Amino acid sequence: MATQHTSSALPAPALSAAYPMAKPGYGKRSAPDQRPRTRDDFTHLPTRERYVAGFIDHLPEGAAMSVKTLAKQLPLYGQQAVSTSLTDLSVAGHLRRVRCAVGVGDETRWVFRTFWSRTARDNEWWNTYLATEQAAQAAAPVPKTPVPDTAPPPPWAPAEEPPPPPAPEGLSTELAPEPTAVPHQRTPPQAPDAMPTPSAPGAVPATPQVPGAGRSPAYLALARLGRDDHRLTLSADDCTTLEPQATEWLARGVSVDYLAHALTAGLPAQVDSPLGFLRRRLTDKIPPQLPNDHTRPATPAPTRRLLMECTDCGRPGRPEAVPDGLCRPCRTAHSPADETPPHPAEIADVKAHMSNLRDLLKPV
């Protein structure tokens, strides 16, 4: 006859087929080097903690580990009891809550994870393991920004839609509409002076000159100032005179729009000499030398941080500063009170002090 297992622990509830999973990167993480699962696991814990620990131990990787989610799956205890059990499991060395920063630049976010160990571990083991986990994350390659696929289409991909086959010649002449005749427009007679001069045989026609062609960006920026504000109208000679100074601005890394804004901002009501006014501004407001794009310092590699959270209040800190998974205030509140009976001499002193107080309260 088989011997019935007599354990004071409540049996862990069966896992629901639809147990909620955390988002990718969050949730439960099992610590390495755990002993095999046996019937005697968690026998050193109280009944409630043993019940919660047995349930968490059977959860899959990445399962949601929030107090609210666990309380929904545990029919015997509410959120407050589950929260207290998680704190006791952290003190016992089975659980640690951490947060780690992932991402690059402005896309950095905090990921919350719960590391679980069936085998109870001390603080030194947890600190070493989390330091190794942080080093592994720092050595992991940073995901690069995906580059859009610009490769040519595969050979089997259909090319451009082929043109429709030409119609037979017999049908094309019958179905094609007759072209509409365009009336000839009369050209007005030209005056004798406007008659075109016959060009020499073999001469190449001259290319028409485009206004502004061959001018520098600084010259064109100065020429446009008068169109934007009539107070800064410059002649062609004025633009040529100021062109070297404006070119020096552009050589320092500023744009044409920046140059135009710096020269037109805060104009007085009347500008008597646009040339002298702009020459003075180009001299006094010349910007500092800006580095080129290829001389910019390289972006440093992102530093991945891993912080441990207090299991009770969620306050983050370094693993060394959160022993037993609890911060200092929570550890002080969670530590058991001193139950050592007072010394008989202390009891006698208290009684004597109370007797003295009663004598002072008596009416004279």
Short mmCIF file of all heavy atoms in Angstrom, two decimals, residues 14-67:
data_model
loop_
_atom_site.label_atom_id
_atom_site.label_comp_id
_atom_site.label_asym_id
_atom_site.label_seq_id
_atom_site.Cartn_x
_atom_site.Cartn_y
_atom_site.Cartn_z
N ALA A 14 -3.45 24.68 -10.08
CA ALA A 14 -3.07 24.33 -11.45
C ALA A 14 -2.97 25.58 -12.30
O ALA A 14 -3.74 26.54 -12.14
CB ALA A 14 -4.10 23.37 -12.05
N LEU A 15 -1.99 25.60 -13.20
CA LEU A 15 -1.79 26.76 -14.06
C LEU A 15 -2.92 26.87 -15.07
O LEU A 15 -3.36 25.87 -15.65
CB LEU A 15 -0.46 26.64 -14.80
CG LEU A 15 0.81 26.78 -13.96
CD1 LEU A 15 2.03 26.60 -14.84
CD2 LEU A 15 0.85 28.11 -13.26
N SER A 16 -3.41 28.08 -15.25
CA SER A 16 -4.44 28.32 -16.23
C SER A 16 -3.84 28.26 -17.62
O SER A 16 -2.70 28.69 -17.86
CB SER A 16 -5.10 29.68 -15.99
OG SER A 16 -6.00 29.97 -17.02
N ALA A 17 -4.61 27.70 -18.55
CA ALA A 17 -4.11 27.61 -19.93
C ALA A 17 -3.91 28.98 -20.54
O ALA A 17 -3.13 29.15 -21.47
CB ALA A 17 -5.08 26.78 -20.77
N ALA A 18 -4.62 29.98 -20.04
CA ALA A 18 -4.53 31.33 -20.60
C ALA A 18 -3.85 32.27 -19.61
O ALA A 18 -4.27 33.41 -19.44
CB ALA A 18 -5.92 31.85 -20.95
N TYR A 19 -2.80 31.77 -18.91
CA TYR A 19 -2.12 32.64 -17.96
C TYR A 19 -1.48 33.80 -18.73
O TYR A 19 -0.80 33.59 -19.74
CB TYR A 19 -1.05 31.87 -17.19
CG TYR A 19 -0.41 32.71 -16.10
CD1 TYR A 19 -1.01 32.82 -14.85
CD2 TYR A 19 0.76 33.42 -16.34
CE1 TYR A 19 -0.44 33.59 -13.86
CE2 TYR A 19 1.32 34.20 -15.37
CZ TYR A 19 0.73 34.28 -14.12
OH TYR A 19 1.28 35.07 -13.15
N PRO A 20 -1.67 35.03 -18.27
CA PRO A 20 -1.16 36.18 -19.04
C PRO A 20 0.36 36.21 -19.05
O PRO A 20 1.01 35.97 -18.03
CB PRO A 20 -1.75 37.39 -18.30
CG PRO A 20 -2.05 36.89 -16.93
CD PRO A 20 -2.40 35.45 -17.06
N MET A 21 0.90 36.53 -20.20
CA MET A 21 2.34 36.67 -20.37
C MET A 21 2.69 38.16 -20.41
O MET A 21 1.89 38.99 -20.84
CB MET A 21 2.81 35.99 -21.66
CG MET A 21 2.47 34.51 -21.73
SD MET A 21 3.32 33.54 -20.47
CE MET A 21 5.00 33.67 -21.07
N ALA A 22 3.89 38.47 -19.94
CA ALA A 22 4.34 39.86 -19.96
C ALA A 22 4.78 40.24 -21.37
O ALA A 22 4.89 39.41 -22.26
CB ALA A 22 5.49 40.05 -18.96
N LYS A 23 5.03 41.52 -21.56
CA LYS A 23 5.53 41.99 -22.85
C LYS A 23 6.93 41.41 -23.09
O LYS A 23 7.62 41.04 -22.16
CB LYS A 23 5.58 43.52 -22.86
CG LYS A 23 4.22 44.18 -22.76
CD LYS A 23 4.36 45.69 -22.79
CE LYS A 23 3.00 46.37 -22.69
NZ LYS A 23 3.13 47.85 -22.69
N PRO A 24 7.34 41.33 -24.35
CA PRO A 24 8.69 40.80 -24.64
C PRO A 24 9.76 41.58 -23.90
O PRO A 24 9.82 42.81 -23.97
CB PRO A 24 8.82 40.96 -26.16
CG PRO A 24 7.41 40.94 -26.65
CD PRO A 24 6.58 41.60 -25.58
N GLY A 25 10.63 40.86 -23.17
CA GLY A 25 11.67 41.49 -22.38
C GLY A 25 11.32 41.67 -20.93
O GLY A 25 12.19 41.98 -20.11
N TYR A 26 10.05 41.50 -20.56
CA TYR A 26 9.60 41.67 -19.19
C TYR A 26 9.31 40.30 -18.57
O TYR A 26 9.52 39.26 -19.17
CB TYR A 26 8.32 42.53 -19.14
CG TYR A 26 8.49 43.96 -19.56
CD1 TYR A 26 8.67 44.30 -20.90
CD2 TYR A 26 8.45 44.99 -18.63
CE1 TYR A 26 8.82 45.62 -21.30
CE2 TYR A 26 8.59 46.31 -19.02
CZ TYR A 26 8.76 46.62 -20.35
OH TYR A 26 8.90 47.93 -20.73
N GLY A 27 8.80 40.32 -17.33
CA GLY A 27 8.28 39.11 -16.73
C GLY A 27 9.32 38.28 -16.02
O GLY A 27 10.39 38.74 -15.62
N LYS A 28 8.99 37.00 -15.84
CA LYS A 28 9.80 36.07 -15.05
C LYS A 28 11.06 35.66 -15.80
O LYS A 28 11.03 35.41 -17.00
CB LYS A 28 8.97 34.83 -14.70
CG LYS A 28 9.73 33.77 -13.92
CD LYS A 28 8.91 32.51 -13.75
CE LYS A 28 9.72 31.41 -13.10
NZ LYS A 28 8.97 30.15 -12.98
N ARG A 29 12.16 35.58 -15.05
CA ARG A 29 13.43 35.07 -15.55
C ARG A 29 13.97 34.08 -14.53
O ARG A 29 14.11 34.42 -13.35
CB ARG A 29 14.44 36.20 -15.78
CG ARG A 29 14.08 37.14 -16.90
CD ARG A 29 14.24 36.47 -18.26
NE ARG A 29 14.00 37.39 -19.35
CZ ARG A 29 12.82 37.68 -19.84
NH1 ARG A 29 11.73 37.15 -19.31
NH2 ARG A 29 12.69 38.51 -20.86
N SER A 30 14.26 32.88 -14.96
CA SER A 30 14.77 31.85 -14.05
C SER A 30 16.28 31.98 -13.91
O SER A 30 16.99 32.13 -14.91
CB SER A 30 14.41 30.45 -14.58
OG SER A 30 13.01 30.28 -14.59
N ALA A 31 16.74 31.92 -12.68
CA ALA A 31 18.18 31.98 -12.41
C ALA A 31 18.82 30.64 -12.77
O ALA A 31 18.17 29.59 -12.75
CB ALA A 31 18.44 32.32 -10.95
N PRO A 32 20.10 30.61 -13.09
CA PRO A 32 20.76 29.35 -13.47
C PRO A 32 21.14 28.51 -12.26
O PRO A 32 21.05 28.96 -11.11
CB PRO A 32 22.00 29.84 -14.23
CG PRO A 32 22.32 31.16 -13.60
CD PRO A 32 20.99 31.77 -13.24
N ASP A 33 21.57 27.28 -12.55
CA ASP A 33 22.12 26.37 -11.53
C ASP A 33 21.13 26.08 -10.41
O ASP A 33 21.46 26.14 -9.23
CB ASP A 33 23.43 26.92 -10.96
CG ASP A 33 24.47 27.18 -12.04
OD1 ASP A 33 24.42 26.49 -13.08
OD2 ASP A 33 25.29 28.10 -11.85
N GLN A 34 19.89 25.78 -10.77
CA GLN A 34 18.91 25.41 -9.76
C GLN A 34 18.85 23.88 -9.62
O GLN A 34 19.09 23.15 -10.58
CB GLN A 34 17.52 25.94 -10.15
CG GLN A 34 17.46 27.45 -10.31
CD GLN A 34 16.04 27.93 -10.53
OE1 GLN A 34 15.12 27.49 -9.85
NE2 GLN A 34 15.85 28.84 -11.48
N ARG A 35 18.53 23.44 -8.44
CA ARG A 35 18.40 22.00 -8.23
C ARG A 35 17.09 21.52 -8.86
O ARG A 35 16.15 22.29 -9.05
CB ARG A 35 18.43 21.67 -6.74
CG ARG A 35 17.30 22.24 -5.93
CD ARG A 35 17.27 21.66 -4.53
NE ARG A 35 16.15 22.19 -3.75
CZ ARG A 35 16.25 23.17 -2.89
NH1 ARG A 35 17.43 23.75 -2.67
NH2 ARG A 35 15.19 23.60 -2.23
N PRO A 36 16.99 20.22 -9.16
CA PRO A 36 15.76 19.69 -9.77
C PRO A 36 14.55 19.89 -8.85
O PRO A 36 14.67 19.96 -7.63
CB PRO A 36 16.07 18.21 -10.00
CG PRO A 36 17.56 18.12 -9.99
CD PRO A 36 18.04 19.19 -9.06
N ARG A 37 13.38 19.98 -9.49
CA ARG A 37 12.15 20.18 -8.73
C ARG A 37 11.79 18.88 -7.99
O ARG A 37 11.76 17.79 -8.57
CB ARG A 37 11.03 20.59 -9.69
CG ARG A 37 9.74 20.95 -9.00
CD ARG A 37 8.68 21.39 -9.99
NE ARG A 37 8.98 22.70 -10.56
CZ ARG A 37 9.29 22.92 -11.81
NH1 ARG A 37 9.35 21.90 -12.66
NH2 ARG A 37 9.53 24.13 -12.25
N THR A 38 11.48 18.99 -6.69
CA THR A 38 11.11 17.85 -5.86
C THR A 38 9.90 18.21 -5.00
O THR A 38 9.44 19.36 -4.98
CB THR A 38 12.28 17.44 -4.94
OG1 THR A 38 12.59 18.53 -4.04
CG2 THR A 38 13.53 17.10 -5.76
N ARG A 39 9.42 17.20 -4.26
CA ARG A 39 8.28 17.44 -3.37
C ARG A 39 8.65 18.29 -2.17
O ARG A 39 7.79 18.91 -1.55
CB ARG A 39 7.72 16.10 -2.87
CG ARG A 39 6.83 15.37 -3.88
CD ARG A 39 6.39 14.04 -3.31
NE ARG A 39 5.39 13.40 -4.15
CZ ARG A 39 4.09 13.55 -3.99
NH1 ARG A 39 3.64 14.32 -3.02
NH2 ARG A 39 3.23 12.94 -4.78
N ASP A 40 9.92 18.26 -1.81
CA ASP A 40 10.34 18.95 -0.59
C ASP A 40 10.76 20.39 -0.83
O ASP A 40 11.37 21.01 0.05
CB ASP A 40 11.51 18.18 0.04
CG ASP A 40 11.12 16.78 0.44
OD1 ASP A 40 9.93 16.58 0.78
OD2 ASP A 40 11.99 15.88 0.41
N ASP A 41 10.48 20.92 -2.01
CA ASP A 41 10.83 22.32 -2.26
C ASP A 41 10.01 23.25 -1.37
O ASP A 41 8.81 23.02 -1.13
CB ASP A 41 10.58 22.67 -3.73
CG ASP A 41 11.51 21.92 -4.66
OD1 ASP A 41 12.61 21.55 -4.22
OD2 ASP A 41 11.13 21.70 -5.84
N PHE A 42 10.66 24.25 -0.86
CA PHE A 42 10.03 25.32 -0.08
C PHE A 42 9.45 24.81 1.24
O PHE A 42 8.53 25.44 1.80
CB PHE A 42 8.92 26.02 -0.89
CG PHE A 42 9.31 26.33 -2.30
CD1 PHE A 42 8.65 25.74 -3.37
CD2 PHE A 42 10.35 27.22 -2.58
CE1 PHE A 42 9.02 26.02 -4.67
CE2 PHE A 42 10.71 27.50 -3.88
CZ PHE A 42 10.05 26.90 -4.94
N THR A 43 9.95 23.70 1.76
CA THR A 43 9.44 23.22 3.05
C THR A 43 9.89 24.10 4.20
O THR A 43 9.31 24.03 5.30
CB THR A 43 9.91 21.78 3.29
OG1 THR A 43 11.35 21.73 3.17
CG2 THR A 43 9.29 20.83 2.29
N HIS A 44 10.88 24.90 3.98
CA HIS A 44 11.38 25.79 5.04
C HIS A 44 10.56 27.06 5.14
O HIS A 44 10.81 27.88 6.04
CB HIS A 44 12.84 26.15 4.77
CG HIS A 44 13.05 26.84 3.45
ND1 HIS A 44 12.99 26.17 2.24
CD2 HIS A 44 13.30 28.15 3.15
CE1 HIS A 44 13.20 27.03 1.26
NE2 HIS A 44 13.39 28.24 1.78
N LEU A 45 9.58 27.25 4.28
CA LEU A 45 8.78 28.47 4.27
C LEU A 45 7.45 28.25 4.99
O LEU A 45 6.97 27.11 5.10
CB LEU A 45 8.51 28.91 2.82
CG LEU A 45 9.73 29.27 1.97
CD1 LEU A 45 9.30 29.54 0.53
CD2 LEU A 45 10.46 30.47 2.54
N PRO A 46 6.82 29.32 5.46
CA PRO A 46 5.47 29.19 6.02
C PRO A 46 4.48 28.74 4.95
O PRO A 46 4.78 28.69 3.76
CB PRO A 46 5.16 30.61 6.52
CG PRO A 46 6.48 31.26 6.70
CD PRO A 46 7.38 30.67 5.65
N THR A 47 3.28 28.41 5.41
CA THR A 47 2.28 27.81 4.51
C THR A 47 1.93 28.72 3.35
O THR A 47 1.89 28.30 2.19
CB THR A 47 1.02 27.46 5.31
OG1 THR A 47 1.37 26.59 6.36
CG2 THR A 47 -0.01 26.79 4.41
N ARG A 48 1.65 29.99 3.62
CA ARG A 48 1.24 30.91 2.55
C ARG A 48 2.37 31.13 1.56
O ARG A 48 2.15 31.09 0.33
CB ARG A 48 0.80 32.24 3.15
CG ARG A 48 0.29 33.24 2.12
CD ARG A 48 -0.10 34.54 2.78
NE ARG A 48 1.05 35.19 3.42
CZ ARG A 48 0.98 36.29 4.16
NH1 ARG A 48 -0.21 36.85 4.38
NH2 ARG A 48 2.04 36.81 4.71
N GLU A 49 3.58 31.37 2.05
CA GLU A 49 4.71 31.59 1.16
C GLU A 49 5.03 30.34 0.35
O GLU A 49 5.43 30.42 -0.82
CB GLU A 49 5.93 32.04 1.96
CG GLU A 49 5.90 33.49 2.41
CD GLU A 49 4.84 33.75 3.47
OE1 GLU A 49 4.48 32.78 4.20
OE2 GLU A 49 4.36 34.89 3.56
N ARG A 50 4.85 29.15 0.97
CA ARG A 50 5.08 27.91 0.25
C ARG A 50 4.07 27.76 -0.90
O ARG A 50 4.39 27.28 -1.99
CB ARG A 50 4.97 26.74 1.22
CG ARG A 50 5.56 25.44 0.71
CD ARG A 50 5.36 24.34 1.74
NE ARG A 50 5.70 24.80 3.08
CZ ARG A 50 5.45 24.11 4.19
NH1 ARG A 50 4.87 22.93 4.10
NH2 ARG A 50 5.78 24.58 5.37
N TYR A 51 2.85 28.17 -0.67
CA TYR A 51 1.80 28.09 -1.68
C TYR A 51 2.11 29.01 -2.86
O TYR A 51 2.03 28.62 -4.03
CB TYR A 51 0.48 28.46 -1.02
CG TYR A 51 -0.72 28.51 -1.92
CD1 TYR A 51 -1.37 27.34 -2.30
CD2 TYR A 51 -1.23 29.72 -2.36
CE1 TYR A 51 -2.49 27.38 -3.11
CE2 TYR A 51 -2.35 29.78 -3.17
CZ TYR A 51 -2.98 28.61 -3.55
OH TYR A 51 -4.08 28.66 -4.35
N VAL A 52 2.52 30.26 -2.56
CA VAL A 52 2.83 31.22 -3.62
C VAL A 52 4.10 30.81 -4.36
O VAL A 52 4.19 30.90 -5.59
CB VAL A 52 2.96 32.64 -3.02
CG1 VAL A 52 3.37 33.64 -4.10
CG2 VAL A 52 1.65 33.07 -2.38
N ALA A 53 5.11 30.33 -3.63
CA ALA A 53 6.36 29.93 -4.26
C ALA A 53 6.15 28.75 -5.20
O ALA A 53 6.73 28.70 -6.30
CB ALA A 53 7.40 29.59 -3.20
N GLY A 54 5.33 27.77 -4.79
CA GLY A 54 5.07 26.64 -5.67
C GLY A 54 4.36 27.06 -6.95
O GLY A 54 4.61 26.48 -8.02
N PHE A 55 3.50 28.06 -6.87
CA PHE A 55 2.82 28.54 -8.07
C PHE A 55 3.79 29.27 -9.00
O PHE A 55 3.80 29.05 -10.22
CB PHE A 55 1.67 29.47 -7.66
CG PHE A 55 0.91 30.05 -8.82
CD1 PHE A 55 0.01 29.28 -9.53
CD2 PHE A 55 1.12 31.36 -9.21
CE1 PHE A 55 -0.69 29.81 -10.60
CE2 PHE A 55 0.43 31.90 -10.28
CZ PHE A 55 -0.48 31.11 -10.98
N ILE A 56 4.62 30.16 -8.43
CA ILE A 56 5.56 30.92 -9.26
C ILE A 56 6.59 29.98 -9.90
O ILE A 56 7.00 30.18 -11.04
CB ILE A 56 6.26 32.00 -8.40
CG1 ILE A 56 5.24 33.03 -7.92
CG2 ILE A 56 7.37 32.68 -9.18
CD1 ILE A 56 5.82 34.09 -7.01
N ASP A 57 6.98 28.94 -9.17
CA ASP A 57 8.01 28.04 -9.70
C ASP A 57 7.53 27.32 -10.95
O ASP A 57 8.35 26.93 -11.79
CB ASP A 57 8.39 27.04 -8.62
CG ASP A 57 9.59 26.20 -9.02
OD1 ASP A 57 10.63 26.78 -9.39
OD2 ASP A 57 9.50 24.96 -8.97
N HIS A 58 6.23 27.11 -11.10
CA HIS A 58 5.70 26.41 -12.27
C HIS A 58 5.33 27.35 -13.41
O HIS A 58 4.87 26.89 -14.46
CB HIS A 58 4.45 25.58 -11.87
CG HIS A 58 4.79 24.36 -11.08
ND1 HIS A 58 5.09 24.41 -9.73
CD2 HIS A 58 4.88 23.05 -11.44
CE1 HIS A 58 5.33 23.19 -9.28
NE2 HIS A 58 5.22 22.35 -10.31
N LEU A 59 5.50 28.65 -13.22
CA LEU A 59 5.18 29.59 -14.29
C LEU A 59 6.23 29.52 -15.39
O LEU A 59 7.42 29.31 -15.12
CB LEU A 59 5.10 31.02 -13.74
CG LEU A 59 3.93 31.35 -12.82
CD1 LEU A 59 4.05 32.78 -12.33
CD2 LEU A 59 2.60 31.12 -13.52
N PRO A 60 5.85 29.73 -16.64
CA PRO A 60 6.83 29.70 -17.74
C PRO A 60 7.66 30.97 -17.77
O PRO A 60 7.37 31.96 -17.09
CB PRO A 60 5.95 29.57 -18.99
CG PRO A 60 4.66 30.23 -18.59
CD PRO A 60 4.47 29.93 -17.13
N GLU A 61 8.70 30.94 -18.58
CA GLU A 61 9.55 32.11 -18.76
C GLU A 61 8.74 33.23 -19.42
O GLU A 61 7.99 33.00 -20.37
CB GLU A 61 10.76 31.76 -19.62
CG GLU A 61 11.76 30.87 -18.94
CD GLU A 61 12.47 31.57 -17.80
OE1 GLU A 61 13.10 32.61 -18.06
OE2 GLU A 61 12.37 31.09 -16.67
N GLY A 62 8.92 34.45 -18.92
CA GLY A 62 8.22 35.59 -19.48
C GLY A 62 6.81 35.79 -18.96
O GLY A 62 6.08 36.64 -19.47
N ALA A 63 6.42 35.01 -17.94
CA ALA A 63 5.08 35.17 -17.38
C ALA A 63 4.98 36.49 -16.61
O ALA A 63 5.96 36.98 -16.05
CB ALA A 63 4.74 34.00 -16.47
N ALA A 64 3.78 37.05 -16.60
CA ALA A 64 3.56 38.30 -15.87
C ALA A 64 3.71 38.05 -14.37
O ALA A 64 3.19 37.08 -13.84
CB ALA A 64 2.18 38.85 -16.18
N MET A 65 4.44 38.96 -13.70
CA MET A 65 4.76 38.76 -12.28
C MET A 65 4.27 39.90 -11.41
O MET A 65 4.75 40.08 -10.30
CB MET A 65 6.27 38.60 -12.12
CG MET A 65 6.82 37.29 -12.64
SD MET A 65 6.31 35.88 -11.62
CE MET A 65 7.19 36.24 -10.11
N SER A 66 3.32 40.67 -11.87
CA SER A 66 2.79 41.74 -11.04
C SER A 66 1.91 41.16 -9.94
O SER A 66 1.37 40.06 -10.06
CB SER A 66 1.99 42.73 -11.89
OG SER A 66 0.84 42.10 -12.44
N VAL A 67 1.77 41.90 -8.86
CA VAL A 67 0.97 41.44 -7.73
C VAL A 67 -0.48 41.25 -8.15
O VAL A 67 -1.14 40.27 -7.76
CB VAL A 67 1.09 42.44 -6.56
CG1 VAL A 67 0.15 42.07 -5.43
CG2 VAL A 67 2.53 42.49 -6.06
#
